[in-house]
């Protein structure tokens, strides 16, 4: 840590105070006083988050650490962290266009042409465009380099054909970054290219996938001879793998901070559950207290780890392996929180009844399934361990 | 919020590492050799000097450097605990001049607060007799030795409060038992005071409120113990990885098997998690305020993860890991012993839960 001067501390505190004041004054109606609960139905929840996204944008709080030339505020990651912490303190809702702001945006800033940046970045921040990423396929999950969706050149355009799977929030999205094969499949990751595709293009079908928690954040997306202009290619031809790595680095990198913040919010809900749980199972029970204390400490440690990684990022170090460490810890803690919450709710969790009026019936059951997904999405736990073993520990070589 | 370690703290860490001998190759050979020895601190003159000067650093650096130096002691499997000199150096600054003079006259001194570090459990009582002389009564299960320790600076309860006393071990009323400790590689002893004849001690006067001093002492000690546990966990993980790279079965190194490689990856995750919290709290605990619960959290987390890391590392060695000659049991012993010093995982968890209560109050607000 470069020694922080007194002036910097004062300026950080001033920023924190202004973020806190703005957030508290602009949260959804009744949020602070009420149960801080988002709508249960996915479509309503998306609208709710979209409204919050727009409100943040209008207040000038979106893209804090994006460069000014890209529509951001040009602030440092430290300010972004401070803002996130203040948002977490009141369990502010997530934003609708999370994929756009946290994954696609930084990737466009790194790889996009000037025209692409001008066209898309401001609308990502404003929430006018909602983005998704279409990478995985039925036969290209952990082995992403096995992508079979093709992009074939035809004049000044490319024709995209294939089947994408696990495309989060595609049913609400207007744009998509698609990973395609543009050369021989024997070249594996050296013949992949990325394209920006408006989802309104003819030939695209989006089919939500009903998940075990009865929600459908994930989608199958079918591309049938979808025509996109060549200038929609993102990054150099056949170099889509590096584009994907940039986004992954953000997904496993700065995004961890958001995840740590998300866990803090979950813990708060869990604490309230513990307080209201039936006699014998709540905070009076020393076993529950110990588990909660340990969980709270682990989440705090994960947050510290994320801060440390930001330090590495600031120094320009490669953080891929650290990101895998964090991802593994995050997915484990997510599952532990929901598992403990279910135990606290007891039989009520099974019958969908709850003593706790701030959660909807069966919410923790739903969260349990969602949390299980954290061990799969963005690279399974096994893939993360492979990355650590190979890149850090020099094993499995 | 700490993004990277301050350069000054890293300088101290590098110096400590150099003084302790450093490389993992060297440590592999030395675990057993060190385990047999009873080397005095003079074997590590540079480290002693580093520790002596640690509290002259600026406040935010001092505690972090304490953690880093202790971690290095763990990583180097130091036969001598860094805590007695650390705590002594810190206390010395707070003693009045008369007490400082008394301390200077002792040959070699260690520090204890009744073994488990929980004030309410203080098992030593101080009584002032008609002649104004103080006698100590009670017992302490384990005191970290500095090698040929001549005196102990310890906390004892007198009436409703606690006091700091200097107890010379060279007197009839003090029975020092060098029982075989769990950690065979580090000298320690048990003390019985005033059983058959009186154990006289000299009260030491500190600047500032005594309870606060003892609380701060515990904070420093817990950060140091947790850091040492992280160092040992790191060392054992590295030894396991080296073994996995060299041990061949089924025609290839066992490190090529996911079952082993993933086990090692999990060790790294756990050690990094504890280290992240350790560095963060060692950087921002204000010793003038009450940092007990925060340091208890760090100790709890280290106690939860580090012994498990050491166990997993041993498992990579197969039955070799359980042999006497391989010497890994010394690390198992030490990590278990450290887990019990200055509050075990459950006790620290109880203290940390007070913070949880505050968080809960906020969550319910």
């Amino acid at each position: 840590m470069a020694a922080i001067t007194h002036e910097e501390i004062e300026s950080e505190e001033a920023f924190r105070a202004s973020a806190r004041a703005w957030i508290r004054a602009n949260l959804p109606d009744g949020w602070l006083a009420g149960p801080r609960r988002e709508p249960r139905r996915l479509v309503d929840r998306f609208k709710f988050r979209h409204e919050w996204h727009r409100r943040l944008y209008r207040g000038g709080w979106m893209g804090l650490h994006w460069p000014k030339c890209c529509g951001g505020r040009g602030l440092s990651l430290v300010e972004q962290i401070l803002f996130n912490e203040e948002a977490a303190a009141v369990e502010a809702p997530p934003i609708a266009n999370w994929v756009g702001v946290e994954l696609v945006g930084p990737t466009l800033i790194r790889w996009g042409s000037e025209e692409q940046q001008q066209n898309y970045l401001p609308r990502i921040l404003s929430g006018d465009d909602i983005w998704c990423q279409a990478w995985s396929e039925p036969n290209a999950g952990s082995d992403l380099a096995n992508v079979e969706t093709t992009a074939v050149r035809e004049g000044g355009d490319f024709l995209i054909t294939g089947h994408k799977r696990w495309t989060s929030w595609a049913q609400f999205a207007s744009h998509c970054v698609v990973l395609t094969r543009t050369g021989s499949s024997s070249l594996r990751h050296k013949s992949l290219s990325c394209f920006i595709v408006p989802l309104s293009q003819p030939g695209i079908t989006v089919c939500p996938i009903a998940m075990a928690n009865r929600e459908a954040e994930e989608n199958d997306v079918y591309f049938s001879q979808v025509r996109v202009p060549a200038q929609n290619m993102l990054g150099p031809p056949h170099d889509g793998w590096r584009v994907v790595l940039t986004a992954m680095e953000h997904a496993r990198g700065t995004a961890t901070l958001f995840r740590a913040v998300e866990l803090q919010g979950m813990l708060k809900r869990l604490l309230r559950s513990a307080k209201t749980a039936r006699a014998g199972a709540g905070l009076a029970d020393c076993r529950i207290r110990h588990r909660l204390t340990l969980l709270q400490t682990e989440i705090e440690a994960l947050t510290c780890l994320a801060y440390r990684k930001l330090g590495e990022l600031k120094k320009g170090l490669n953080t891929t392996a650290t990101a895998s460490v964090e991802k593994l810890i995050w997915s484990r803690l997510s599952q532990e929180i929901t598992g403990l919450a279910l135990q606290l709710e007891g039989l009520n969790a099974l019958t969908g009844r709850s003593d706790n009026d701030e959660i909807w019936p069966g919410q923790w059951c739903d969260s349990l399934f969602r949390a299980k997904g954290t061990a799969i999405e963005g690279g399974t736990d096994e893939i993360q361990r492979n990355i650590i073993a190979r890149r850090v520990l020099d094993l499995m070589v | 919020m700490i993004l990277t370690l301050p350069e000054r703290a890293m300088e101290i860490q590098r110096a400590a590492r150099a003084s302790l001998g450093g490389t993992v190759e060297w440590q592999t050979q030395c675990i057993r050799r060190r385990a047999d020895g009873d080397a005095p601190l003079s074997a590590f003159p540079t480290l002693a000097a580093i520790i002596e000067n640690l509290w002259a650093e600026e406040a935010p650096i001092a505690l972090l450097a304490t953690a880093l130096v202790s971690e290095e002691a763990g990583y180097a499997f130091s036969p001598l605990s860094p805590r007695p000199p650390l705590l002594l150096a810190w206390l010395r600054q707070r003693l009045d001049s008369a007490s400082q003079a008394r301390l200077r006259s002792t040959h070699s001194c260690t520090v204890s607060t009744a073994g488990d570090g929980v004030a309410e459990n203080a098992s030593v009582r101080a009584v002032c007799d008609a002649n104004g002389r103080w006698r100590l009564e009670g017992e302490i299960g384990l005191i970290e030795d500095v090698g040929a320790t001549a005196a102990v600076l310890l906390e004892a309860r007198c009436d409703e409060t606690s006091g700091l006393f200097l107890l010379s071990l060279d007197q009839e009323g003090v029975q020092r038992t060098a029982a075989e400790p769990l950690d065979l590689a580090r000298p320690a002893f048990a003390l019985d005071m005033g059983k058959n004849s009186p154990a006289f001690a000299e009260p030491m006067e500190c600047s500032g409120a005594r309870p606060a001093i003892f609380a701060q002492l515990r904070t420093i000690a817990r950060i140091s113990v947790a850091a040492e546990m992280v160092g040992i966990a790191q060392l054992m993980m590295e030894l396991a990885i080296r073994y996995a790279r060299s041990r061949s079965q089924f025609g290839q190194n066992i490190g090529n098997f996911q079952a082993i490689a993933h086990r090692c990856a999990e060790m790294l995750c756990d050690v990094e998690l504890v280290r992240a919290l350790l560095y963060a709290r060692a950087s921002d605990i204000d010793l003038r305020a009450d940092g007990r619960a925060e340091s208890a959290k760090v100790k709890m987390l280290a106690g939860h993860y580090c012994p498990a890391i050491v166990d997993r590392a041993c498992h990579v060695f197969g039955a070799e890991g359980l042999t006497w000659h391989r010497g890994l049991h010394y690390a198992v012993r030490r990590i278990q012993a450290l887990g019990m010093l200055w509050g075990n995982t459950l006790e620290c968890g109880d203290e940390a839960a007070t913070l949880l209560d505050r968080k809960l109050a906020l969550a319910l607000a």
Side-chain angles (χ1 to χ4, degrees):
Chain A
M1 179 174 62
I4 291 179
T5 64
H6 188 62
E7 288 71 24
E8 280 171 320
I9 292 170
E10 279 189 347
S11 135
E12 280 181 13
E13 285 312 309
F15 179 86
R16 185 189 282 282
S18 99
R20 180 183 303 155
W22 187 91
I23 291 170
R24 286 174 177 266
N26 289 278
L27 280 165
D29 291 342
W31 186 263
L32 279 176
R36 303 177 187 178
R37 180 167 68 184
E38 290 187 272
R40 182 173 188 183
R41 282 180 60 221
L42 192 66
V43 61
D44 298 329
R45 205 180 319 151
F46 178 80
K47 282 182 191 162
F48 186 80
R49 292 179 181 186
H50 201 195
E51 175 49 37
W52 174 238
H53 182 134
R54 287 182 177 283
R55 207 176 282 190
L56 284 167
Y57 174 74
R58 287 194 295 269
W61 298 99
M62 291 300 297
L64 291 179
H65 65 283
W66 281 25
K68 279 185 180 171
C69 61
C70 298
R73 293 262 303 264
L75 300 175
S76 75
L77 278 169
V78 173
E79 273 94 359
Q80 184 69 62
I81 293 167
L82 296 176
F83 181 82
N84 292 349
E85 285 181 345
E86 288 306 318
V90 290
E91 297 155 81
I95 57 170
N97 197 17
W98 187 86
V99 175
V101 174
E102 295 304 327
L103 307 181
V104 175
T107 309
L108 275 168
I109 290 169
R110 167 70 181 82
W111 293 103
S113 65
E114 201 177 327
E115 188 187 353
Q116 287 170 343
Q117 291 181 354
Q118 282 174 358
N119 280 348
Y120 301 119
L121 289 174
R123 292 177 63 83
I124 286 176
L125 283 185
S126 67
D128 289 336
D129 292 341
I130 304 295
W131 284 68
C132 59
Q133 293 183 143
W135 293 350
S136 297
E137 297 178 5
N139 290 321
S142 292
D143 183 12
L144 194 57
N146 195 38
V147 157
E148 292 167 355
T149 296
T150 56
V152 179
R153 183 98 194 199
E154 192 179 88
D157 297 333
F158 279 85
L159 292 177
I160 297 178
T161 302
H163 173 191
K164 291 290 178 182
R165 176 161 277 187
W166 313 126
T167 309
S168 307
W169 303 98
Q171 69 269 53
F172 304 112
S174 56
H175 291 74
C176 187
V177 177
V178 187
L179 180 66
T180 65
R181 173 84 50 205
T182 46
S184 165
S185 60
S186 62
L187 292 173
R188 300 271 295 165
H189 60 276
K190 289 178 182 162
S191 61
L192 298 171
S193 302
C194 284
F195 288 91
I196 294 167
V197 182
L199 288 174
S200 55
Q201 283 289 92
I204 297 176
T205 310
V206 177
C207 301
I209 304 168
M211 302 298 286
N213 63 353
R214 294 171 290 184
E215 293 207 326
E217 280 181 24
E218 310 299 330
N219 297 269
D220 278 315
V221 184
Y222 298 92
F223 295 82
S224 175
Q225 300 279 305
V226 177
R227 185 173 293 276
V228 290
Q231 60 263 33
N232 276 27
M233 187 182 281
L234 178 58
H238 312 307
D239 211 4
W241 189 249
R242 280 206 292 160
V243 178
V244 166
L245 287 182
T246 303
M248 275 188 179
E249 216 162 86
H250 282 275
R252 295 172 185 167
T254 49
T256 317
L257 264 180
F258 294 91
R259 288 169 175 158
V261 163
E262 181 190 305
L263 287 183
Q264 286 163 15
M266 285 171 77
L267 181 77
K268 280 187 178 176
R269 286 198 295 281
L270 179 58
L271 286 172
R272 286 195 289 262
S273 282
K275 187 74 179 174
T276 53
R278 285 167 190 272
L283 282 173
D285 187 324
C286 66
R287 290 166 303 177
I288 300 289
R289 281 173 71 82
H290 273 288
R291 280 199 68 184
L292 282 169
T293 306
L294 184 60
L295 260 177
Q296 190 262 326
T297 306
E298 288 172 303
I299 293 169
E300 190 178 326
L302 178 66
T303 311
C304 297
L305 198 55
Y307 287 161
R308 227 177 70 193
K309 193 183 63 230
L310 288 182
E312 293 172 11
L313 278 173
K314 276 181 83 172
K315 282 182 176 173
L317 301 174
N318 185 331
T319 60
T320 312
T322 322
S324 292
V325 169
E326 290 175 348
K327 166 79 169 42
L328 277 168
I329 296 168
W330 168 66
S331 70
R332 179 173 59 76
L333 293 180
S334 298
Q335 293 173 76
E336 281 184 15
I337 288 181
T338 48
L340 181 56
L342 277 179
Q343 287 190 32
L344 284 172
E345 290 286 314
L347 291 177
N348 283 346
L350 306 182
T351 56
R353 243 175 10 167
S354 176
D355 293 343
N356 192 340
D357 65 358
E358 73 172 287
I359 59 172
W360 61 65
Q363 187 193 24
W364 284 118
C365 269
D366 292 349
S367 300
L368 182 74
F369 288 111
R370 181 67 196 84
K372 286 186 185 302
T374 60
I376 310 289
E377 65 194 33
T380 64
D381 282 359
E382 286 69 26
I383 291 292
Q384 308 300 339
R385 291 189 190 107
N386 281 352
I387 291 172
I388 295 168
R390 289 205 176 98
R391 298 194 190 177
V392 185
L393 308 181
D394 204 20
L395 297 171
M396 291 171 61
V397 287
Chain B
M1 175 193 319
I2 175 164
L3 297 187
T4 55
L5 295 177
E7 184 50 38
R8 175 64 189 140
M10 287 196 290
E11 263 177 43
I12 296 170
Q13 182 184 29
R14 284 193 291 269
R17 178 167 291 203
S19 76
L20 282 160
T23 65
V24 81
E25 288 83 358
W26 182 81
Q27 285 147 18
T28 314
Q29 299 163 11
C30 285
I31 280 191
R32 273 166 292 166
R33 215 173 59 207
R34 286 180 167 214
D36 298 334
D38 187 9
L41 196 60
S42 57
F44 306 98
T46 319
L47 181 69
I50 290 168
I51 289 175
E52 188 64 38
N53 294 321
L54 215 51
W55 300 112
E57 300 289 336
E58 286 176 23
I61 299 291
L63 192 58
L64 177 60
T66 294
L68 295 174
V69 168
S70 302
E71 186 184 346
E72 291 303 325
Y75 186 66
F77 210 69
S78 166
L80 289 167
S81 165
R83 270 165 303 288
L86 257 171
L87 299 177
L88 207 56
W90 184 82
L91 269 173
R92 201 175 285 132
Q93 292 185 347
R94 279 144 194 88
L95 294 175
D96 68 9
S97 52
S99 299
Q100 284 199 29
R102 278 200 290 275
L103 194 58
R104 265 197 298 273
S105 68
T106 62
H107 166 58
S108 139
C109 185
T110 188
V111 179
S112 169
T113 63
D116 67 0
V118 179
E120 293 71 21
N121 297 344
S123 55
V124 180
R125 204 159 66 89
V127 181
C128 190
D129 66 16
N131 300 323
R133 297 175 74 188
W134 286 90
R135 287 183 285 114
L136 300 187
E137 295 168 357
E139 57 186 47
I140 301 178
L142 187 134
I143 294 178
E144 293 189 299
D145 204 344
V146 289
T149 297
V152 181
L153 205 51
L154 55 82
E155 177 190 6
R157 291 185 74 78
C158 35
D159 300 325
E160 295 305 310
T161 181
S162 289
L164 186 67
F165 293 87
L166 183 65
L167 176 78
S168 168
L169 300 182
D170 183 22
Q171 54 177 314
E172 204 176 326
V174 176
Q175 282 183 316
R176 170 181 164 154
T177 315
E180 188 172 275
L182 176 63
D183 181 356
L184 295 171
R186 181 170 280 177
F189 56 86
L191 266 190
D192 280 305
M193 288 153 279
K195 263 196 175 162
N196 302 319
S197 46
F200 295 106
E202 293 180 81
M204 307 291 269
E205 288 304 323
C206 308
S207 56
R210 280 176 192 154
I213 294 234
F214 292 128
Q216 290 162 12
L217 208 59
R218 279 188 197 98
T219 298
I220 297 166
R222 280 176 176 164
I223 291 290
S224 168
V225 174
E228 208 181 346
M229 293 174 84
V230 168
I232 293 169
Q234 175 77 28
L235 169 67
M236 289 297 285
M237 179 184 75
E238 289 184 22
L239 291 177
I241 291 165
R242 284 165 58 85
Y243 186 77
R245 286 191 200 127
S246 61
R247 167 75 173 162
S248 180
Q249 286 287 276
F250 303 104
Q252 55 186 313
N253 292 339
I254 60 171
N256 285 344
F257 299 117
Q258 278 193 334
I260 299 292
H262 284 190
R263 181 179 280 268
C264 295
E266 282 160 13
M267 283 192 257
L268 181 79
C269 288
D270 292 351
V271 85
E272 287 298 328
L273 188 70
V274 183
R275 184 181 280 127
L277 187 74
L278 168 72
Y279 286 2
R281 293 296 83 86
S283 301
D284 60 24
I285 285 178
D286 182 355
L287 279 177
R288 290 166 302 179
D290 186 357
R292 267 183 305 176
E294 289 291 354
S295 61
K297 256 193 330 196
V298 178
K299 175 77 190 341
M300 174 189 66
L301 199 67
H304 182 78
Y305 278 105
C306 294
I309 295 167
V310 170
D311 282 347
R312 272 184 282 175
C314 282
H315 186 81
V316 171
F317 286 82
E320 270 292 295
L322 301 175
T323 59
W324 186 268
H325 69 266
R326 177 70 67 169
L328 300 180
H329 65 94
Y330 287 114
V332 177
R333 290 165 184 277
R334 178 161 298 174
I335 205 90
Q336 292 291 345
L338 290 174
M340 285 182 248
L341 283 179
W342 298 90
N344 64 28
T345 306
L346 288 175
E347 289 158 348
C348 287
D350 278 341
E351 277 196 52
T354 59
L355 282 181
L356 188 76
D357 289 338
R358 271 180 245 159
K359 237 182 171 58
L360 179 67
L362 283 175
L364 295 173

